[in-house]
Amino acid sequence: MGTRTHLVWDWNGTLLNDLHLVVAATNAAFASVAGPAVTPDEHRRHFRRPIAEYYAQVLGRAVDADEFGVLDGIFHDAYRDGLTSVALAADAADAMREWGPDQSLLSMWFHSELVPAIERYGLAAHFRRVDGLPGAVGGDLKAGYLARHLAELGVAGTDVVLIGDSLDDADAAHSVGGAVVLYTGGFTDPDRLRASGLPVADSLAEAVKIAKDL
């Protein structure tokens, strides 16, 4: 067993298997400005945070804060419309049970919508704390939110391992002195994750197994 005692889960693209809905909602935002549609594979190759930079790359031009706010609103409206059909990752429940009681969830989805979703999926009892995005526009980096999440828990960053599906999750974990396991089933191309040299898992059960040894 490793020395990390607290597990922080990412939500979208990790515990929640919502890649295809995210791509569809992203394409709704792009279509609103006559932009190109992206495939799931293209999204996984290029997605990053801040999301405004990803949008700018796909659209081939700058996206300022005002325009990003509009596009983000279109994205989230489309996302909400499809959310009822989205399932958890196949082994999410088993993976959470395998770790034990000392775990929490930090998402970059809106807190006011995240908390009732966690209740609907029957997951609330697994987490010491659940935090989502407090504002009205998404797209930011995760590091600052992770620091606040851990401060509220009273958990030191050096005691933490984070399981997530993006390189931003890795940057956030490292910013507080934590470890990370990157999951290939989400929003980022597996080759991009493996190129980081960080621990990578193809299932959440495997991710927890690796996390226990960090």
Side-chain angles (χ1 to χ4, degrees):
M1 183 74 178
T3 60
R4 310 283 179 168
T5 57
H6 184 82
L7 175 60
V8 178
W9 288 99
D10 174 56
W11 177 239
N12 300 99
T14 302
L15 290 175
L16 189 67
N17 184 23
D18 60 346
L19 171 63
H20 283 81
L21 177 57
V22 165
V23 172
T26 299
N27 283 333
F30 291 157
S32 73
V33 290
V38 297
T39 67
D41 284 344
E42 288 169 339
H43 183 86
R44 296 179 91 205
R45 284 196 298 270
H46 300 296
F47 177 78
R48 64 184 183 278
R49 289 181 178 273
I51 295 175
E53 294 183 3
Y54 168 52
Y55 283 11
Q57 178 184 349
V58 173
L59 296 174
R61 59 174 176 77
V63 175
D64 65 21
D66 289 341
E67 183 180 22
F68 179 74
V70 173
L71 294 173
D72 192 60
I74 294 168
F75 169 90
H76 280 99
D77 286 344
Y79 183 87
R80 292 180 189 101
D81 287 345
L83 188 58
T84 56
S85 63
V86 175
L88 297 175
D91 60 347
D94 289 341
M96 285 184 283
R97 282 193 293 268
E98 179 65 24
W99 178 267
D102 200 358
Q103 53 192 309
S104 60
L105 186 146
L106 175 64
S107 173
M108 299 300 283
W109 188 32
F110 301 123
H111 185 79
S112 61
E113 299 179 58
L114 173 68
V115 171
I118 297 300
E119 294 283 355
R120 287 196 302 273
Y121 285 100
L123 302 180
H126 288 285
F127 303 121
R128 283 179 53 192
R129 184 177 180 90
V130 172
D131 280 320
L133 193 69
V137 177
D140 290 338
L141 300 174
K142 199 169 196 172
Y145 295 97
L146 178 60
R148 287 189 286 275
H149 179 75
L150 298 180
E152 292 291 341
L153 283 165
V155 172
T158 51
D159 292 334
V160 167
V161 57
L162 188 153
I163 295 176
D165 66 317
S166 75
L167 296 174
D168 182 56
D169 288 313
D171 291 342
H174 294 157
S175 74
V176 297
V180 70
V181 182
L182 296 171
Y183 168 59
T184 63
F187 299 165
T188 308
D189 182 83
D191 288 343
R192 290 177 64 197
L193 299 181
R194 294 190 176 99
S196 72
L198 297 167
V200 173
D202 294 323
S203 71
L204 297 182
E206 181 188 4
V208 169
K209 182 178 180 180
I210 294 170
K212 284 185 169 185
D213 290 330
L214 295 176

